[in-house]
Amino acid sequence: MSQSACQPTRQPIHHSPAIRHLKDGHICSPQGFSADGAAAGFRPAKPECLDLAVLYSQQTAHAAGVFTRNLFCAAPVTVTRDSLHKESKLQALLCNSGQANAGTGEEGLKISLWKQQILQQKLRLGQPHYAAVMSTGVIGVLPDKDKIAAGLEKIKLGSDAHSARRFSQAILTTDTCTKTSAYRLEIDGKPVTLAGSAKGSGMIHPNMATMLAFITTDASVEPLFLQELLRSSVERSFNRISVDGDTSTNDTVLILANGLAGNREINRNHPDWKDFRQALEMLCQDLAKAIIRDGEGATKFIEVEVISAPTEQDAALCARHVVSSNLFKTAMYGEDINWGRIACAVGNSGAKISTERLSITLGREDDPDAICVLDSNNPRSFSEETAARLLSRPEIYIRINLHQGLSHANAWGNDLSLDYVKINAHKRS
Amino acid sequence: MSQSACQPTRQPIHHSPAIRHLKDGHICSPQGFSADGAAAGFRPAKPECLDLAVLYSQQTAHAAGVFTRNLFCAAPVTVTRDSLHKESKLQALLCNSGQANAGTGEEGLKISLWKQQILQQKLRLGQPHYAAVMSTGVIGVLPDKDKIAAGLEKIKLGSDAHSARRFSQAILTTDTCTKTSAYRLEIDGKPVTLAGSAKGSGMIHPNMATMLAFITTDASVEPLFLQELLRSSVERSFNRISVDGDTSTNDTVLILANGLAGNREINRNHPDWKDFRQALEMLCQDLAKAIIRDGEGATKFIEVEVISAPTEQDAALCARHVVSSNLFKTAMYGEDINWGRIACAVGNSGAKISTERLSITLGREDDPDAICVLDSNNPRSFSEETAARLLSRPEIYIRINLHQGLSHANAWGNDLSLDYVKINAHKRS
């Protein structure tokens, strides 16, 4: 039973083989969804830029949402959250990029409610609260009603890849690429599809740090259970990426489940609920990681895994604290392992752990170059050359073993580079 | 009673006129203290550099300490904390800079205990636990016993400014200047002096992010009350500066009160205890601000004051969260008011507040250029030229009015500059 302290004690995660990634999947891959994006002219310098996005389900969908915990939250967040509270149903979504409609007081709320009404009229929704409304962009600026109305006129909903792509583009702000993923699995012998589209700049962009993710599925899912599944998937994906310590005023993840796949409604008694949860978690992780990869100024994608922790929450606290630490992030930019900063961040994470048997490994288990730098709190000598080689890669993996339980968690982040400061010191104008 | 929302509702702070700043004061200004610094050779590249510091009180002093909350704390922190628990008394202090003696396991503890013994022998202390031991420097490296012993031989204690200066220099790591302050007041008709010396790099320096502060006073103070006063003063000073989210493994503040001033022992029944507390708080704030001013890479000194908060704790949470926000700090570097980032940080601070009447002002009340940018959550138009002028100054003051109580708190930080990243991306070697 002798085992090096740097070796993991957890089991490898089992991915159900029934869940298939759809290489060319998009937000309209699940049955009954259509979408489009239009240029409403919110960016005076780029009038041709798509900045108004609409998503529609031919059947009213069970819906759930997870919203920013920032007390200073934007008007559309308040309005959409209130709408979901009414029936946990949505049929459509209207999102503008350019103005965040945050810090806009009563006027901001009025415009968000008006956006619901105008979308209800255009798409003949049964209720205004079947329309989710979102905004992302500069804080403190009201979206222009006339531009929204004119932009909406240009929307031509479609279910093809082209329409889905226009939707995904229209929600972006300073992102450099669209972020999409899709999975398919079988439930009750029926093919069920999940897809998502996200925008977000990691922690990188000055006034537009909002993270938005919209998920569609044709599965039938019991509404309260859908909320529970979304919350746990967000916890293991979007809540595990470093967002610079600051949650934006507009952060939102929404899921619409329209039931057109024809499966029996998924709840905790359904035999396949765990497969569905796993697919949803994989989808959310794909989108979260895509946000990190698109972090402007970033030169590295960093994964920190904490294993053998007393609880998943403790493991997650440690992993998140490490990927969020400026001292760690600058060390990664400088390609310096500097494990003291990792240990320091673990000690500060707030997790209820002991640090007496802390081990730190650079590189994955199956990487012949992997090196253990701290072994049960004893510094190990290692080849600086190997460490430099591992750290010169664009993707870095660090494993922290706490040696005190069976729980683990991953977090993803990037380095803090000179470009990060240059980008964020730019003027608003 | 009409009052602009941007105006403060608090009373100005009353500074007791009896507390006098000692312009040329130093760690040995209080009666009965002597000190010195020596070159023990912990930095091979700079053998002449002072790196071993000793402080001594001719009479055993009541003592109190506040230590890092980092679970991964250094051996000397463990040893000194345990020593204080025994009798709350100290007579001397030995601090080395160069090696932090953190992450050094059992060996690190042994060396710290040995340091107590060797200091006890040299200074003929009644008990080894009357010696506080501290280390600051690179994590994961053991201090060399022979170097400590040889360095200790060179120590020649004195009470003059020159000896005090050598002490203050020897505790520094990558600091660019010594940090000292001293105050005098009268208690029971006797002059009482407080002085302090600190080291710290704000959140700036790669492996040496430790903050140390040593305070001497000739006041007689009841030991448990001394601990209480130190804790509250640290809360309003060192805990109000941005330390990058990460508390170091070695952070320590110690106070020694040797009673030679001859006042009646200060406790909560003493009529002048609030004056003493105020002097201690002013001293701690001077040292804390000096750490911020010495932040390498920093181009701005920033004070954020939160007023009209429900509790001081809520005000402090808001103020600290703003000065710690990377997005805010980069905006300050870019000299851009960008109040959305300030509001966003307030909303994320964890304070139990409402953000419905948030006001933000740039510039002090008595500054004719001061501008209100957000007034009870309504963005105000302001002169970009005036804002640019205020932000071009090396010292920036921002006031946040929550309009919901009578408590206030200040926090101090600096900007996040290109040099910060350059310095912290440097290799350990």
Side-chain angles (χ1 to χ4, degrees):
Chain A
M1 287 297 290
S2 147
Q3 189 180 37
S4 161
C6 277
Q7 293 308 307
T9 52
R10 70 181 163 81
Q11 298 297 314
I13 305 160
H14 171 72
H15 285 304
S16 166
I19 302 172
R20 192 161 58 85
H21 183 248
L22 300 184
K23 194 171 161 292
D24 299 314
H26 53 74
I27 191 93
C28 299
S29 294
Q31 295 176 60
F33 288 96
S34 52
D36 195 22
F42 288 119
R43 292 179 187 75
K46 295 181 179 181
E48 76 294 345
C49 188
L50 300 181
D51 52 12
L52 195 78
V54 174
L55 176 74
Y56 174 72
S57 167
Q58 66 179 69
Q59 187 166 299
T60 311
H62 288 165
V66 175
F67 300 92
T68 179
R69 288 177 202 152
N70 194 316
L71 296 175
F72 188 79
C73 78
V77 169
T78 304
V79 166
T80 300
R81 189 164 42 196
D82 289 352
S83 293
L84 270 180
H85 278 164
K86 287 184 181 149
E87 294 189 63
S88 299
K89 283 183 187 170
L90 288 176
Q91 190 168 9
L93 184 155
L94 174 61
C95 177
N96 74 282
S97 60
Q99 284 87 38
N101 198 5
T104 45
E106 273 302 313
E107 274 309 303
L109 286 172
K110 278 185 200 159
I111 286 191
S112 294
L113 292 166
W114 171 85
K115 278 170 81 179
Q116 286 194 311
Q117 285 161 1
I118 192 170
L119 195 65
Q120 181 192 16
Q121 282 163 22
K122 182 175 170 77
L123 300 176
R124 301 176 199 283
L125 309 178
Q127 298 286 344
H129 62 257
Y130 290 168
V133 287
M134 287 299 138
S135 297
T136 172
V138 183
I139 290 179
V141 183
L142 284 167
D144 186 289
K145 274 185 176 187
D146 292 341
K147 284 183 180 161
I148 292 173
L152 210 47
E153 287 302 312
K154 299 188 199 166
I155 292 285
K156 306 272 177 273
L157 294 170
S159 296
D160 54 318
H162 177 70
S163 303
R165 186 162 178 78
R166 287 171 63 86
F167 173 90
S168 298
Q169 285 173 342
I171 64 172
L172 304 181
T173 51
T174 43
D175 307 56
T176 64
C177 59
T178 57
K179 295 156 186 76
T180 297
S181 186
Y183 286 92
R184 187 162 289 159
L185 73 166
E186 254 187 34
I187 291 180
D188 300 329
K190 319 267 185 184
V192 162
T193 309
L194 298 96
S197 182
K199 68 129 310 209
S201 40
M203 55 300 195
I204 311 296
H205 300 302
N207 298 289
M208 313 194 180
T210 291
M211 197 279 299
L212 297 178
F214 304 123
I215 299 165
T216 54
T217 179
D218 45 23
S220 168
V221 190
E222 189 265 308
L224 284 180
F225 195 56
L226 185 65
Q227 178 68 46
E228 195 181 321
L229 293 176
L230 182 65
R231 189 167 292 283
S232 78
S233 295
V234 167
E235 176 54 40
R236 287 180 170 176
S237 56
F238 300 108
N239 282 351
R240 297 278 173 85
I241 56 178
S242 166
V243 284
D244 214 9
D246 278 335
T247 313
S248 126
T249 50
N250 295 50
D251 286 352
T252 297
V253 183
L254 287 179
I255 184 167
L256 281 72
N258 67 13
L260 289 172
N263 62 296
R264 262 194 307 127
E265 191 174 73
I266 297 171
N267 57 28
R268 202 174 279 283
N269 299 319
H270 193 291
D272 298 336
W273 75 266
K274 285 187 179 168
D275 287 348
F276 182 80
R277 182 183 63 176
Q278 191 169 28
L280 182 59
E281 200 175 299
M282 288 158 74
L283 181 76
C284 288
Q285 285 187 356
D286 285 353
L287 298 174
K289 289 185 203 174
I291 288 171
I292 289 296
R293 282 181 214 279
D294 194 26
E296 258 183 39
T299 71
K300 310 272 180 199
F301 176 88
I302 303 160
E303 176 168 5
V304 170
E305 180 165 26
V306 173
I307 64 168
S308 304
T311 68
E312 182 179 341
Q313 195 194 4
D314 289 321
L317 273 171
C318 289
R320 283 177 57 182
H321 206 82
V322 173
V323 296
S324 305
S325 153
N326 278 357
L327 287 171
F328 170 73
K329 286 154 71 96
T330 43
M332 291 298 102
Y333 176 60
E335 303 187 353
D336 178 12
I337 178 62
N338 208 331
W339 61 264
R341 296 185 188 180
I342 299 173
C344 184
V346 168
N348 276 323
S349 67
K352 291 189 186 65
I353 53 161
S354 149
T355 58
E356 280 171 23
R357 293 192 59 209
L358 195 64
S359 299
I360 300 171
T361 307
L362 175 63
R364 292 186 188 275
E365 293 157 60
D366 55 1
D367 186 337
D369 273 350
I371 49 176
C372 176
V373 294
L374 186 71
D375 187 352
S376 267
N377 250 9
N378 291 303
R380 273 223 204 149
S381 59
F382 56 88
S383 153
E384 292 279 355
E385 200 186 318
T386 310
R389 196 163 57 240
L390 286 162
L391 291 166
S392 70
R393 298 178 186 166
E395 305 225 345
I396 295 170
Y397 170 87
I398 289 164
R399 194 175 64 231
I400 299 165
N401 192 334
L402 298 177
H403 293 289
Q404 58 203 273
L406 294 168
S407 297
H408 72 104
N410 303 55
W412 301 275
N414 33 35
D415 56 340
L416 176 53
S417 70
L418 290 175
D419 278 350
Y420 171 88
V421 179
K422 286 181 191 159
I423 292 164
N424 280 290
H426 277 174
K427 302 281 179 183
R428 281 153 299 156
S429 48
Chain B
M1 287 298 289
S2 145
Q3 189 180 40
S4 162
C6 277
Q7 294 307 308
T9 52
R10 71 180 162 81
Q11 296 298 313
I13 305 162
H14 172 72
H15 285 304
S16 166
I19 302 172
R20 191 161 59 87
H21 183 249
L22 299 185
K23 194 172 161 290
D24 298 315
H26 52 74
I27 190 92
C28 299
S29 294
Q31 293 176 61
F33 287 97
S34 52
D36 195 22
F42 288 118
R43 292 180 186 76
K46 295 181 179 179
E48 75 295 343
C49 187
L50 300 182
D51 51 12
L52 194 76
V54 175
L55 177 74
Y56 174 72
S57 167
Q58 66 180 70
Q59 187 165 300
T60 311
H62 287 165
V66 175
F67 301 92
T68 178
R69 287 176 205 154
N70 195 315
L71 296 176
F72 188 78
C73 78
V77 169
T78 305
V79 167
T80 300
R81 190 165 42 197
D82 289 353
S83 293
L84 270 181
H85 277 165
K86 286 182 184 154
E87 295 188 63
S88 300
K89 283 184 185 170
L90 288 176
Q91 191 168 8
L93 184 154
L94 175 60
C95 177
N96 75 282
S97 61
Q99 284 87 37
N101 197 7
T104 46
E106 273 302 311
E107 274 309 304
L109 286 173
K110 278 185 200 160
I111 287 190
S112 294
L113 292 167
W114 171 85
K115 278 169 80 179
Q116 286 193 311
Q117 284 160 2
I118 191 170
L119 195 64
Q120 182 192 14
Q121 283 163 22
K122 182 174 169 78
L123 300 176
R124 303 176 197 283
L125 309 179
Q127 297 285 344
H129 62 257
Y130 290 168
V133 287
M134 287 299 138
S135 298
T136 172
V138 183
I139 291 178
V141 183
L142 283 167
D144 186 289
K145 274 186 176 186
D146 293 340
K147 283 183 182 163
I148 293 173
L152 210 46
E153 287 301 313
K154 298 188 200 167
I155 292 285
K156 307 271 178 276
L157 294 170
S159 297
D160 53 317
H162 177 71
S163 303
R165 185 161 177 80
R166 287 172 63 88
F167 173 90
S168 298
Q169 283 173 344
I171 64 172
L172 304 182
T173 51
T174 43
D175 306 57
T176 65
C177 58
T178 57
K179 295 157 186 73
T180 298
S181 186
Y183 286 92
R184 187 162 289 159
L185 74 165
E186 252 186 40
I187 292 182
D188 300 330
K190 318 265 186 186
V192 162
T193 309
L194 299 95
S197 182
K199 70 128 311 207
S201 39
M203 55 300 194
I204 310 297
H205 300 302
N207 298 288
M208 313 194 180
T210 292
M211 197 280 297
L212 297 179
F214 304 123
I215 299 165
T216 54
T217 179
D218 44 23
S220 168
V221 190
E222 189 266 308
L224 284 179
F225 195 57
L226 185 65
Q227 178 68 46
E228 195 181 321
L229 292 176
L230 183 65
R231 189 167 292 284
S232 78
S233 294
V234 167
E235 176 54 39
R236 287 180 170 177
S237 55
F238 300 108
N239 283 351
R240 298 278 173 83
I241 57 178
S242 165
V243 284
D244 215 6
D246 278 335
T247 313
S248 126
T249 50
N250 296 49
D251 287 352
T252 298
V253 183
L254 286 180
I255 184 167
L256 279 74
N258 67 12
L260 289 173
N263 62 297
R264 262 192 308 126
E265 193 173 72
I266 297 171
N267 57 27
R268 203 174 278 283
N269 299 319
H270 193 293
D272 298 336
W273 75 267
K274 286 189 178 167
D275 288 347
F276 182 80
R277 181 183 68 176
Q278 191 168 30
L280 181 58
E281 200 175 300
M282 287 158 75
L283 182 75
C284 288
Q285 285 188 357
D286 285 354
L287 298 173
K289 289 186 201 172
I291 288 171
I292 290 296
R293 281 180 213 281
D294 195 25
E296 258 183 39
T299 71
K300 309 272 180 199
F301 176 88
I302 302 160
E303 176 167 4
V304 170
E305 180 164 26
V306 173
I307 64 168
S308 305
T311 68
E312 183 179 339
Q313 196 194 3
D314 289 321
L317 274 170
C318 289
R320 284 177 58 183
H321 206 82
V322 172
V323 296
S324 305
S325 154
N326 279 358
L327 288 171
F328 170 73
K329 285 154 71 96
T330 44
M332 291 299 102
Y333 177 60
E335 304 187 351
D336 179 12
I337 178 63
N338 209 331
W339 61 263
R341 296 186 187 179
I342 299 172
C344 184
V346 168
N348 276 323
S349 68
K352 291 189 187 65
I353 51 162
S354 150
T355 57
E356 280 171 23
R357 294 192 58 208
L358 196 63
S359 299
I360 299 172
T361 307
L362 176 63
R364 294 187 187 275
E365 299 165 57
D366 55 1
D367 185 337
D369 274 350
I371 48 176
C372 176
V373 294
L374 186 70
D375 186 354
S376 268
N377 251 8
N378 292 303
R380 273 222 202 152
S381 59
F382 56 87
S383 153
E384 291 279 354
E385 200 186 319
T386 310
R389 197 164 55 240
L390 286 163
L391 291 165
S392 70
R393 298 178 187 167
E395 305 226 344
I396 295 170
Y397 170 86
I398 288 164
R399 193 175 64 230
I400 298 165
N401 192 334
L402 299 177
H403 294 289
Q404 57 203 274
L406 294 168
S407 297
H408 72 105
N410 303 54
W412 301 275
N414 34 35
D415 56 340
L416 176 51
S417 70
L418 290 174
D419 277 349
Y420 172 88
V421 178
K422 285 181 192 160
I423 292 165
N424 280 290
H426 278 174
K427 304 279 179 184
R428 280 153 300 154
S429 48

